[in-house]
Amino acid sequence: MTQRFSLRAFTLAFLVVSAAAIIGRGQSGEPAVPTPFSDQPRWWRGNLHTHSLWSDGDDFPEMIVAWYKEHGYNFLGLSDHNVLSEGPRWIDAERHGRIDLREPMAKYRQRFGAWVEEQRGDRPLVRLKPLSEFRSLFEEPGRFMLIPSEEITDRFEKLPVHLNATNVRESIAPQGGRSVLEVMQNNVNAVLEQRRRTGTPMLVHLNHPNFGWGVTAEDLARVHGERFFEVHNGHPVVRNYGDDDHPGTERIWDVVLTTRLLLRDGQVMFGLATDDAHQYHAFGIDRVNPGRGWIMVRARHLTAESIVNALEQGDFYASTGVRLRDVGSDGRRVWLDIDPVPGVTYGTEFIGTLKPAAAAAGDAPGDRAAGAPDPDDIGRVLLRTSDPHPSYTFTGRELYVRARVRSSRPHPNPYAAGDLETAWTQPMVPASHPDDKPAATGRGL
């Protein structure tokens, strides 16, 4: 009797699972929900720079995480200033610094009910839940994960120098230094040392270089081990576009790439887009809102290790709305496949720096004898096209090539007035000799 019941139960369960699998498939036969154990890489959407009430954000971490998950993100780093969200923490339930918490508290109670922990006394208190506690509410294999992060908030004299540590295990105090360069180097070294000591894949990137005009391209180019920076940050005061006396972040990117590839260590700098979100209750161009910039990372698995590894390989692009189906290079040609939105047009610019005439004959990147290029040849537009499948073939003179794809569709909540949805690919260094074989085909841009 027991055996008959077990067999029947197993058969019924098998049929239910099989039916669910069939229902979950689209017309193509592929699962509607990606498996976390796929053999094929796919694009994962994420933001690495976000703030909560653990520092100077105006909402509870659970509310912020819920927003990102509900808006189609796959991973998120809550990178509060000089702190990891761990250990016991109680704050005033009515005011946190300059933040009036009455509205956030009402929304928090409505959304999470008995999960909210409060104390009554002379002043009402609410407990800030640590990452180790609230992540269980949101994480799902192959759908969404949280990455422990911190914004190491430092300065040299009055110049701000902020770096993000992603997948960090222990909070890193600002390291200081006797110059902007030394501050950057000391903080990068601290992250890399923790990575070495713990054996955990970690990533460190420079935040908003033009905030307070704190970081120059010349200093950034000289930081050993720093391979990432924010080409786009959604905070309205970080001056992504520069001014009459300071270059924008894209120009900084091109100067750093040119300096490193031609005159220094040959190490490529990768560009990220982030929100740097602080405000979640009122939206507008003058607010510091979520949803302004993100990265699309191509990896097989949705794990912190897989995401960090793909980022270090340059297998990602930055975006404020434009989506790409594919980005690739074989060392001789760069190509993109734009994922179009009906009624929207796209223009692609391939941007790069040309070697000086003396270096074009075959000097390898990093050869100090190559000399300096003409300033007009740094970060110049090499090709413009409206082709939905744009490509660029190397001529032999390029130090690197990166692509910027700009759509005709305005950003729904832009960093600055008039911003159009845009994507930036990572720079690709061409094969140094016509007979060289690329390390990877269709990857690494």
Side-chain angles (χ1 to χ4, degrees):
M1 188 73 173
T2 302
Q3 291 179 343
R4 187 179 304 124
F5 177 79
S6 299
L7 180 59
R8 180 181 179 187
F10 174 83
T11 303
L12 180 60
F14 177 81
L15 291 174
V16 170
V17 171
S18 299
I22 293 171
I23 294 172
R25 292 179 182 271
Q27 293 181 351
S28 65
E30 295 298 321
V33 177
T35 170
F37 310 112
S38 173
D39 288 334
Q40 297 301 317
R42 57 154 288 187
W43 294 108
W44 307 98
R45 182 185 183 189
N47 178 39
L48 298 180
H49 188 173
T50 320
H51 297 277
S52 75
L53 283 167
W54 277 88
S55 60
D56 58 348
D58 73 357
D59 212 347
F60 293 89
E62 299 96 316
M63 298 291 288
I64 296 167
V65 175
W67 188 96
Y68 278 95
K69 185 174 182 180
E70 290 164 3
H71 283 79
Y73 288 73
N74 302 113
F75 62 91
L76 176 67
L78 291 172
S79 56
D80 283 301
H81 295 281
N82 294 333
V83 66
L84 292 179
S85 55
E86 57 187 14
R89 180 85 178 273
W90 291 83
I91 63 171
D92 192 304
E94 294 182 350
R95 178 163 292 276
H96 180 62
R98 294 178 295 177
I99 301 169
D100 185 338
L101 277 186
R102 288 173 294 181
E103 179 185 355
M105 276 298 303
K107 293 178 179 178
Y108 186 40
R109 291 188 193 104
Q110 182 179 13
R111 178 70 184 263
F112 288 96
W115 170 264
V116 179
E117 294 183 45
E118 301 181 73
Q119 290 182 359
R120 300 294 177 180
D122 294 338
R123 296 287 298 177
L125 299 176
V126 60
R127 186 165 82 92
L128 284 182
K129 304 292 182 76
L131 173 64
S132 60
E133 190 169 347
F134 67 74
R135 68 189 313 167
S136 62
L137 299 179
F138 303 100
E139 291 189 314
E140 296 181 61
R143 282 177 178 263
F144 186 82
M145 72 170 179
L146 292 161
I147 305 178
S149 303
E150 175 190 0
E151 182 169 10
I152 306 170
T153 308
D154 211 338
R155 65 175 53 245
F156 171 68
E157 297 178 347
K158 294 184 178 181
L159 299 174
V161 182
H162 299 186
L163 297 102
N164 253 49
T166 298
N167 206 32
V168 66
R169 287 297 176 264
E170 303 161 3
S171 180
I172 297 174
Q175 301 294 298
R178 295 167 295 181
S179 66
V180 168
L181 173 58
E182 190 171 293
V183 170
M184 284 192 288
Q185 190 66 69
N186 288 344
N187 285 292
V188 167
N189 290 347
V191 177
L192 298 181
E193 168 57 22
Q194 185 179 131
R195 173 176 175 153
R196 183 201 63 76
R197 177 168 50 82
T198 63
T200 303
M202 295 180 192
L203 181 144
V204 56
H205 81 257
L206 177 70
N207 296 339
H208 42 59
N210 278 345
F211 176 51
W213 309 121
V215 178
T216 65
E218 291 73 20
D219 278 341
L220 180 55
R222 296 168 63 192
V223 183
H224 298 288
E226 177 54 286
R227 300 177 58 206
F228 301 86
F229 91 119
E230 292 177 348
V231 66
H232 182 89
N233 178 297
H235 199 304
V237 304
V238 299
R239 304 180 176 98
N240 289 330
Y241 303 144
D243 65 10
D244 291 342
D245 300 314
H246 302 87
T249 53
E250 285 204 61
R251 179 66 177 178
I252 290 174
W253 197 6
D254 290 313
V255 171
V256 170
L257 286 166
T258 301
T259 302
R260 286 187 170 186
L261 291 172
L262 192 60
L263 303 175
R264 295 189 66 82
D265 57 10
Q267 194 171 63
V268 169
M269 177 68 74
F270 297 124
L272 306 167
T274 69
D275 280 339
D276 196 1
H278 289 69
Q279 298 172 323
Y280 306 89
H281 301 284
F283 281 67
I285 198 168
D286 60 337
R287 304 285 181 167
V288 194
N289 296 143
R292 286 186 172 151
W294 55 88
I295 51 176
M296 298 294 294
V297 183
R298 183 161 47 189
R300 290 184 178 178
H301 312 298
L302 185 61
T303 64
E305 293 79 5
S306 189
I307 293 298
V308 170
N309 289 337
L311 287 166
E312 291 187 323
Q313 294 169 18
D315 206 358
F316 71 102
Y317 65 91
S319 181
T320 65
V322 170
R323 288 183 176 266
L324 306 177
R325 292 194 183 106
D326 188 30
V327 183
S329 176
D330 58 8
R332 297 167 179 79
R333 186 174 67 93
V334 179
W335 63 84
L336 286 72
D337 184 9
I338 299 169
D339 189 2
V341 173
V344 177
T345 59
Y346 300 86
T348 300
E349 295 173 311
F350 289 95
I351 299 165
T353 294
L354 300 180
K355 301 175 187 178
D363 291 337
D367 188 342
R368 293 179 181 273
D374 188 304
D376 291 338
D377 285 336
I378 296 177
R380 65 184 291 182
V381 176
L382 305 173
L383 175 67
R384 288 187 176 92
T385 176
S386 58
D387 192 324
H389 312 286
S391 66
Y392 179 87
T393 301
F394 295 114
T395 67
R397 286 201 61 196
E398 303 87 355
L399 281 172
Y400 67 90
V401 172
R402 61 181 181 86
R404 177 177 61 214
V405 183
R406 185 174 285 128
S407 80
S408 61
R409 186 164 70 171
H411 195 291
N413 184 15
Y415 156 80
D419 278 356
L420 301 173
E421 291 182 339
T422 303
W424 298 265
T425 72
Q426 302 312 311
M428 177 63 200
V429 178
S432 59
H433 188 277
D435 294 329
D436 285 349
K437 294 182 179 180
T441 300
R443 302 288 296 279
L445 191 72

